[in-house]
Amino acid sequence: MKNLGKWLGLLLALLLVAGGLGWYAWHQQALARGNPWLKGEQGAARAEQLARESGMAVLYVIESDKCRRCKLLDKGLWQDPALASTLAGLVKVRLNPSAGDGSERVLRRFPKVNTPPGIYLQQGGGPLKPI
């Protein structure tokens, strides 16, 4: 009887750990889904509105289709599940001047980025801060 109690206790502990890990993974994915990347001129306008309403900072990423560093940064950092909760606390905008989505008009107010990627953070409508 003593062994049965130990085994049941161990099984319950394993189930609780597995359930907790499952909930954590689901929660991280939900955070990422609920706060997607915005793009282009419309995305930047929406980001400014969200930032005013929520008080969150805006993360702007200036990228190019042909930029190898941009693709590495996207794959290695922006899509990393370990950063999902951190990025969920920011309004995120991708600007690509060759995408045809109005990004080039938004970028007129940014410092010139000679070699992408360019990364800027803006808090509360304040100045753009390069990262």
Side-chain angles (χ1 to χ4, degrees):
M1 242 345 170
K2 288 184 182 179
N3 286 340
L4 181 61
K6 287 181 182 179
W7 283 109
L8 288 175
L10 181 61
L11 179 62
L12 180 60
L14 288 173
L15 287 172
L16 287 172
V17 168
L21 289 173
W23 175 87
Y24 178 79
W26 174 84
H27 183 67
Q28 294 304 319
Q29 290 173 352
L31 284 174
R33 282 191 306 269
N35 186 8
W37 283 90
L38 304 170
K39 294 182 181 182
E41 188 173 29
Q42 289 182 345
R46 177 74 177 131
E48 291 169 9
Q49 177 188 8
L50 287 171
R52 279 192 306 274
E53 292 171 359
S54 68
M56 293 192 309
V58 181
L59 176 71
Y60 292 98
V61 177
I62 302 166
E63 53 194 7
S64 171
D65 294 335
K66 297 179 182 179
C67 174
R68 184 176 51 90
R69 289 184 305 271
C70 297
K71 291 174 186 168
L72 290 171
L73 188 65
D74 181 53
K75 193 180 232 182
L77 190 63
W78 307 133
Q79 292 184 29
D80 187 341
L83 285 178
S85 62
T86 301
L87 292 174
L90 298 169
V91 180
K92 307 172 298 284
V93 182
R94 292 178 182 262
L95 298 170
N96 182 341
S98 60
D101 58 6
S103 291
E104 69 282 354
R105 289 187 290 276
V106 176
L107 289 172
R108 291 180 189 148
R109 63 186 172 122
F110 283 73
K112 183 162 177 54
V113 174
N114 291 323
T115 56
I119 305 168
Y120 292 90
L121 191 63
Q122 187 176 35
Q123 180 73 40
L128 293 166
K129 296 180 182 177
I131 295 179

